[in-house]
Amino acid sequence: MTAHQNGTISFEVSDFLLNCFVRSPNWQIWLSLPLSLLFLLAMGANGILLITIWLETSLHEPMYYLLSLLSLLDMVLCLTVIPKVLTIFWLDFKSISFYACFLQMYIMNCFLAMESCTFMVMAYDRYIAICHPLRYSSIITDQFIAKAAIFILARNILFTVPIPILSARLFYCGRNVIENCICANMSVSRLSCDDVTINRLYQFAGGWTLLGSDLILIILSYTLILRAVLRLKAEGAVAKALSTCGSHFILILFFNTVLLVFVLTHVAKKKVSPDVPVLLNVLHHVIPAALNPIVYGVRTQEIKQGIQKLLKKGW
C-alpha cells in the first residue's frame, strides 16, 4: 500500500498470509484430524437439530425457535473459520484476500455477539418458565421471539460494523503476514504502521459492553431462578425445575469458559506460548458449535423423540 499526498491510500497489499502456529508448527498435524471431526460433528448435529425442529410440529415453540437460531449462528461461525483453517493445515494455502479477511473478521465478531445475545434471551425464557409459569404462554409468544430475533440481529450488526471498518482504513505498509489462523482484529491491525489505539479501545469497549451486559443479565436470571427453585416445597419440584435449565446452563458454561480462558491467556501472554491464544480462538468457533446440539439432544426428551421419529422416517 502507498499513501498519496491527498491522504488517499492505494492498496498494494491485495492479500494477507495466515501463518498458523509459528512457534509450534507440529500442532497443525495433530490438530487437523480432531478439528475436521469437530467441524463435521458441528455441521451434522446442528443440521439434524434444525431439520428436526422444522419438521416436528410439537417443537414449534419459542424455546426451540431460539435453539434453531443458536444452531444457525453456530453453523455460520464454523463455516466462516474452520474450512479456511483446514486448507492452511492440509494444503498450506495461507493466502486470504484483503476483503475476505475483513469480511471474516466482521462475521466472527458479529455472530459471536449474536450468540451471546441469544443465550441472554434464552436465560430470560427460562426465568419466566420457572419464576412465572402461569404467565409464560402470555409473555413468551411467537411475537416476543420475532422481536427478540430482530433485536439480536440489529444490536450486533450495528455495534460490530466499526471493527472491520477501523481495521480496513489503517495504512498497511508492506507487512502482510498475520500470526494467526484467522483474521482476528488485533492480529491484523498489528501489521499496520498507524496508531491502533482506537481499534483496541473499540474492541475492548464493544466486547465488554455486548458480551459483558449479556453475561450480567444471564447471571441475574439464574440468581432469580435459583432463589425461586430453593423456595419450592413440593417433592421433586427442585430437580424438575433445575433439569429444565440444565441444558441451557451447560451451553452458557461452554461458551463463556472458552472465552474466559482465551481472555486469561491474552492477559498472561508472557507466561504462555503465543500459539495458545491462537489455538483457543480457533477452538472457540467449533467446540461450542459441536456440543450445543448434542447437549440439547441428549438432555431434552422432546428433541430426542423428534430425532428418533425423523430417523425412523428416513429409514
Side-chain angles (χ1 to χ4, degrees):
M1 262 182 230
T2 53
H4 299 291
Q5 284 173 343
N6 63 5
T8 59
I9 292 169
S10 67
F11 294 105
E12 284 174 4
V13 176
S14 59
D15 61 1
F16 290 109
L17 292 176
L18 292 162
N19 202 6
C20 278
F21 307 129
V22 186
R23 289 149 199 87
S24 322
N26 59 324
W27 282 16
Q28 292 191 23
I29 302 156
W30 65 259
L31 195 62
S32 61
L33 183 63
L35 195 64
S36 51
L37 290 173
L38 278 169
F39 174 67
L40 291 172
L41 178 63
M43 299 308 290
N46 282 295
I48 289 168
L49 190 64
L50 282 168
I51 293 164
T52 304
I53 293 169
W54 181 42
L55 294 177
E56 194 56 51
T57 47
S58 64
L59 298 176
H60 293 179
E61 289 177 15
M63 190 178 85
Y64 301 113
Y65 292 146
L66 288 171
L67 193 55
S68 300
L69 179 60
L70 193 64
S71 282
L72 280 169
L73 296 174
D74 278 338
M75 288 174 88
V76 173
L77 273 170
C78 263
L79 286 167
T80 305
V81 173
I82 308 304
K84 179 62 190 170
V85 174
L86 290 173
T87 57
I88 295 168
F89 286 2
W90 290 336
L91 307 171
D92 205 35
F93 188 65
K94 296 178 179 182
S95 176
I96 184 168
S97 77
F98 198 82
Y99 297 105
C101 189
F102 291 111
L103 179 64
Q104 189 193 57
M105 185 191 292
Y106 177 64
I107 291 170
M108 287 188 304
N109 283 287
C110 181
F111 279 67
L112 276 174
M114 279 191 203
E115 200 160 303
S116 170
C117 198
T118 306
F119 281 131
M120 185 261 289
V121 176
M122 288 169 93
Y124 177 72
D125 169 84
R126 292 298 84 204
Y127 161 72
I128 299 295
I130 286 166
C131 299
H132 304 283
L134 300 176
R135 292 171 59 206
Y136 180 81
S137 55
S138 61
I139 296 173
I140 309 293
T141 59
D142 287 355
Q143 286 86 349
F144 169 82
I145 296 299
K147 285 175 187 170
I150 291 164
F151 170 72
I152 290 166
L153 290 167
R155 185 195 83 162
N156 301 298
I157 285 169
L158 292 172
F159 272 94
T160 54
V161 159
I163 294 172
I165 291 173
L166 285 169
S167 279
R169 58 172 273 283
L170 293 170
F171 172 53
Y172 292 91
C173 48
R175 287 190 304 158
N176 73 333
V177 179
I178 301 166
E179 290 198 3
N180 205 328
C181 299
I182 53 181
C183 288
N185 179 23
M186 293 322 298
S187 298
V188 177
S189 304
R190 221 173 273 139
L191 300 178
S192 83
C193 300
D194 286 343
D195 181 20
V196 294
T197 309
I198 294 170
N199 296 55
R200 284 180 186 277
L201 286 173
Y202 193 87
Q203 180 86 35
F204 183 79
W208 282 110
T209 306
L210 298 178
L211 304 185
S213 61
D214 291 343
L215 192 57
I216 288 164
L217 290 166
I218 288 166
I219 291 166
L220 180 67
S221 294
Y222 273 96
T223 305
L224 294 168
I225 286 168
L226 203 60
R227 199 178 70 172
V229 163
L230 294 173
R231 285 179 180 167
L232 295 172
K233 299 285 188 281
E235 199 179 326
V238 173
K240 189 174 185 293
L242 288 175
S243 73
T244 63
C245 290
S247 306
H248 180 235
F249 189 70
I250 292 166
L251 303 194
I252 291 167
L253 222 54
F254 283 148
F255 183 80
N256 288 298
T257 305
V258 183
L259 211 58
L260 184 66
V261 173
F262 176 58
V263 170
L264 289 174
T265 50
H266 257 296
V267 171
K269 60 174 82 167
K270 288 184 176 71
K271 290 173 186 165
V272 294
S273 163
D275 286 337
V276 173
V278 172
L279 174 66
L280 287 168
N281 213 337
V282 171
L283 293 177
H284 188 238
H285 290 87
V286 71
I287 289 179
L291 295 177
N292 290 354
I294 293 167
V295 169
Y296 256 99
V298 168
R299 291 184 59 91
T300 312
Q301 199 62 37
E302 293 82 0
I303 289 177
K304 208 188 288 183
Q305 287 168 353
I307 291 170
Q308 284 166 356
K309 273 189 199 173
L310 190 74
L311 291 172
K312 277 175 191 168
K313 279 180 193 171
W315 289 116

